[in-house]
């Protein structure tokens, strides 16, 4: 644990460029723009506990520090990895002293998803009492990693990777303060693609370049020199500066288009360029759900297995499994029927009223509920011919069948479509609508 302090050693570039005011923050305008949630929190005059969830280098620590400044609060940091219960006790003591001086305290927990149970148990009572305001930073989904009691007392704000224009602004600022020499446009494009939305990665790379450029007395950083200095650290995309998300789009569309050669090409391009294989594995899981679906349910299982195998083997051995997966996805039968059905169902529910659950579908665990006819008349499908209660209805009363799911005539969905036709015919013969 540490409190803010000055250091006699030169500050890293990332620290020198850290925003001092909210208006200086680059990116995250969906949270910090006029009228947006986190901006309103700053303007409210009352800090509240929150969790900042987003990829590395998106401004989580900066926002926490700015919140402390905005409320003139003592700022204490705890690492969930390196800290322990002892550090929490020290933070509590410091917060109590500050409270006696009529000053607020903000406790910033970095990598809060790594907080263990004993840390959370020691931390929670003081969040509940309001002794200090808790701000957590995490790169992992907090709903999976953070204690539900702690999570329920904190607003969750989702930070996004910085865009290319955001990162270009950061490069310009570094040049303005005289830290980095001029950089030609092609070199900036390459740096931005390499940073992949991570401001810290960009600034650390700029600092490396600045030192090397000073040693060689360069007035400008060119793309050719950049490649020479950083070499394998950079993504080796086309010299035109093709962007990261364009390439992942090409991979996804090649899989969707059932072209295994193209899919392999774009996969290898991304691996060769330094893309995180775990990110590629996650995208393949998405492809299996979005573009293949129930036409071949094995695709999703194989994608999950590929992600697991990569975690076990790492690079370069685990990359072969990703290649195997992407080829399978490319040649598998395609269906986005479930994807479309899910989106249609979401849109319907969003605009529709809250329809009551029909009485025969309600749960009846008590005598009172049974007397109120909860569950009355429900037909247990397993007791019916063929395991199907023909004519039974499962939608809210008065709601017409919406027809969200429309299986395609490819792969397993051919059989699914035939099965649904048979079941609907049984419904029709029973007199059901």
């Amino acid at each position: 644990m540490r409190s803010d302090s000055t250091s006699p050693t030169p500050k890293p570039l990332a620290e020198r460029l850290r925003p001092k005011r909210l208006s200086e923050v680059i990116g995250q305008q969906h949270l910090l723009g006029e009228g947006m949630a986190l901006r309103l929190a700053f303007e409210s005059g009352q800090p509240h506990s929150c969790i900042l969830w987003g990829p590395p280098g998106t401004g989580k620590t900066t926002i926490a520090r700015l919140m402390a400044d905005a409320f003139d609060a003592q700022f204490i940091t705890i690492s969930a990895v390196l800290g322990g219960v002892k550090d929490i006790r020290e933070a509590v003591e410091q917060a109590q002293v500050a409270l006696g001086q009529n000053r607020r305290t903000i406790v910033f927990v970095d990598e809060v998803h790594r907080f263990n149970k004993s840390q959370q148990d020691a931390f929670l009572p003081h969040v509940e009492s309001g002794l200090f305001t808790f701000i957590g930073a995490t790169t992992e989904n907090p709903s999976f990693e953070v204690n539900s009691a702690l999570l329920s007392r904190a607003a969750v704000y989702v930070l996004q990777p910085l865009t290319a224009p955001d990162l270009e602004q950061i490069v310009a600022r570094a040049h303005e303060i005289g830290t980095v020499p001029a950089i030609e446009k092609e070199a900036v494009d390459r740096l931005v693609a390499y940073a992949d939305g991570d401001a810290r990665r960009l600034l650390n790379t700029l600092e490396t370049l600045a030192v090397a450029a000073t040693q060689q007395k360069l007035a400008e950083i060119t793309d050719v020199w950049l490649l020479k200095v950083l070499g394998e650290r950079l993504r080796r995309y086309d010299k035109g500066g093709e962007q990261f998300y364009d390439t992942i789009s090409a991979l996804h569309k090649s899989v969707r288009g059932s072209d295994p050669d193209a899919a392999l090409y774009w996969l290898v391009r991304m691996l060769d360029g330094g893309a995180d294989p775990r990110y590629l594995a996650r995208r393949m899981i998405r492809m299996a759900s979005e573009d293949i679906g129930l036409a071949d349910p094995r695709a999703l299982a194989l994608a999950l297995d590929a992600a697991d195998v990569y975690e076990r083997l790492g690079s370069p051995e685990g990359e072969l499994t990703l290649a195997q997966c992407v080829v399978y996805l490319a040649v598998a039968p395609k269906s986005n029927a479930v994807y479309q059905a899910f989106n249609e169902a979401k849109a319907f529910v969003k605009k529709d009223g809250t329809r009551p659950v029909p009485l025969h579908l309600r749960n009846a665990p008590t005598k009172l509920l049974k007397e109120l006819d909860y569950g009355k008349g429900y037909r247990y499908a397993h007791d019916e011919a063929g395991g199907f209660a023909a004519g039974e209805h499962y939608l809210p009363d008065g709601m017409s069948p919406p027809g969200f799911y429309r299986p395609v005539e490819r792969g397993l969905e051919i059989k699914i479509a035939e099965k649904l036709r048979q079941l609907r015919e049984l419904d029709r013969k029973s007199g059901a609508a």
Side-chain angles (χ1 to χ4, degrees), residues 8 44 49 63 82 174 188 215 237 275 315 340 351 365 382 398 421 432:
S44 70
S49 294
I63 290 172
L82 302 176
V188 172
Q215 291 173 344
Y237 291 152
S315 292
Q340 288 187 319
K351 69 179 182 180
H382 293 291
R421 284 191 288 268

Side-chain angles (χ1 to χ4, degrees), residues 56-377:
T58 51
K60 297 184 288 293
T61 302
T62 292
I63 290 172
R65 287 179 179 274
L66 288 174
M67 191 172 287
D69 292 342
F71 300 113
D72 188 29
Q74 174 181 220
F75 187 75
I76 301 172
T77 65
I78 296 176
S79 169
V81 177
L82 302 176
V85 173
K86 177 177 179 289
D87 298 276
I88 296 172
R89 292 199 187 105
E90 290 178 6
V92 169
E93 291 171 4
Q94 292 182 45
Q96 289 170 335
V97 171
L99 185 63
Q101 300 168 346
N102 201 30
R103 191 181 183 207
R104 297 179 174 120
T105 296
I106 286 178
V107 177
F108 176 66
V109 181
D110 197 18
E111 298 190 79
V112 67
H113 59 279
R114 302 285 292 274
F115 243 11
N116 61 39
K117 187 178 186 301
S118 63
Q119 287 172 309
Q120 295 192 34
D121 289 344
F123 198 76
L124 185 60
H126 307 292
V127 177
E128 292 177 327
S129 71
L131 175 63
F132 52 69
T133 299
F134 153 66
I135 301 180
T138 179
T139 57
E140 304 294 333
N141 188 332
S143 63
F144 298 142
E145 306 293 343
V146 179
N147 180 303
S148 59
L150 188 58
L151 188 63
S152 68
R153 288 160 178 79
V156 176
Y157 298 110
V158 182
L159 281 69
Q160 303 294 341
L162 272 65
T163 64
D166 293 336
L167 295 171
E168 289 166 4
Q169 282 189 60
I170 293 174
V171 175
R173 282 192 185 178
H175 177 62
E176 286 169 6
I177 67 172
T179 302
V180 178
I183 308 178
E184 71 176 14
K185 179 64 167 60
E186 292 80 3
V188 172
D189 290 343
R190 194 178 297 278
L191 279 172
V192 165
Y194 171 67
D196 190 22
D198 184 335
R200 188 182 301 113
R201 189 180 192 186
L202 175 69
L203 290 169
N204 289 343
T205 305
L206 278 173
E207 195 157 32
T208 299
L209 292 171
V211 170
T214 300
Q215 291 173 344
Q216 297 184 29
K217 299 180 180 180
L218 295 180
E220 181 183 48
I221 293 175
T222 66
D223 189 43
V224 173
W225 183 81
L226 181 71
L227 284 170
K228 179 181 176 182
V229 172
L230 296 180
E232 289 298 317
R233 286 183 56 186
L234 290 171
R235 286 202 176 95
R236 292 172 293 191
Y237 291 152
D238 292 344
K239 290 185 178 180
E242 187 176 26
Q243 299 300 305
F244 175 81
Y245 289 107
D246 287 342
T247 312
I248 190 63
S249 175
L251 171 59
H252 195 147
K253 289 170 181 173
S254 298
V255 168
R256 182 183 295 146
S258 300
D259 189 331
D261 286 344
L264 267 178
Y265 169 76
W266 292 117
L267 173 70
V268 173
R269 273 281 300 275
M270 297 200 75
L271 291 171
D272 180 67
D276 184 351
R278 294 176 181 84
Y279 170 79
L280 296 172
R282 291 195 298 272
R283 288 302 298 250
M284 283 188 263
I285 293 169
R286 168 69 187 231
M287 294 173 201
S289 294
E290 180 179 338
D291 293 299
I292 297 169
L294 293 179
D296 186 352
R298 294 170 298 182
L300 180 56
L302 192 142
L304 289 167
D305 285 345
D308 184 54
V309 169
Y310 180 81
E311 288 294 335
R312 291 173 181 270
L313 295 182
S315 292
E317 291 87 352
E319 293 170 6
L320 176 59
T321 304
L322 301 183
Q324 177 181 336
C325 179
V326 84
V327 169
Y328 187 94
L329 298 181
V331 300
K334 304 298 189 295
S335 171
N336 69 345
V338 173
Y339 177 69
Q340 288 187 319
F342 179 59
N343 288 336
E344 288 179 24
K346 285 197 300 182
F348 181 88
V349 168
K350 187 173 183 179
K351 69 179 182 180
D352 192 44
T354 304
R355 300 173 186 252
V357 177
L359 281 174
H360 72 288
L361 296 182
R362 296 187 189 185
N363 187 32
T366 68
K367 180 180 178 182
L368 173 61
L369 293 177
K370 290 176 182 177
E371 291 173 350
L372 293 174
D373 289 341
Y374 278 39
K376 183 178 181 180

